[in-house]
Amino acid sequence: MKLNLLLAAAIAQTANAFTFVRQSTSATRLYAEGIINESIDKESPKVATMESLEAGSKKVYCRCWQSGTFPLCDGAHMKHNEKTGDNVGPLIVSVPKSE
């Protein structure tokens, strides 16, 4: 009887520890999933980019935060889309030529 109680207590304690680890891991994963900017200008309170484009020019900007040439797109979203099933793409800005 005493052995059964000890065994039951050990099982309950292990289950509680497992639940805590699983919940902690889930919370960490959920927090990490909410972060889209993993490495760009992390010391800044906000990442903002301002550029002037000349007439007849075009720029392709990253919207997935995975580009090695951020803020410009390098196509990293394609790997992200394959991995996650997402459909993110770049922002393409063009300025017509002056007439």
Side-chain angles (χ1 to χ4, degrees):
M1 175 75 170
K2 191 173 185 180
L3 181 60
N4 287 343
L5 288 175
L6 288 174
L7 184 58
I11 290 171
Q13 188 173 14
T14 302
N16 286 339
F18 175 74
T19 301
F20 174 76
V21 169
R22 190 186 62 184
Q23 287 173 348
S24 296
T25 303
S26 295
T28 301
R29 189 177 67 243
L30 287 175
Y31 176 72
E33 287 174 1
I35 303 278
I36 57 173
N37 177 11
E38 297 177 351
S39 62
I40 300 163
D41 200 13
K42 295 301 284 184
E43 64 279 355
S44 179
K46 176 172 51 173
V47 178
T49 303
M50 183 175 178
E51 284 194 45
S52 296
L53 300 179
E54 295 184 20
S57 66
K58 176 175 92 170
K59 293 250 180 152
V60 182
Y61 293 98
C62 174
R63 293 193 304 173
C64 73
W65 292 86
Q66 305 300 310
S67 175
T69 59
F70 189 88
L72 300 177
C73 177
D74 68 358
H77 60 274
M78 293 184 289
K79 183 176 178 183
H80 164 81
N81 290 347
E82 287 176 19
K83 180 179 175 185
T84 65
D86 205 349
N87 66 345
V88 69
L91 167 66
I92 302 171
V93 179
S94 62
V95 180
K97 291 182 180 179
S98 297
E99 291 183 26

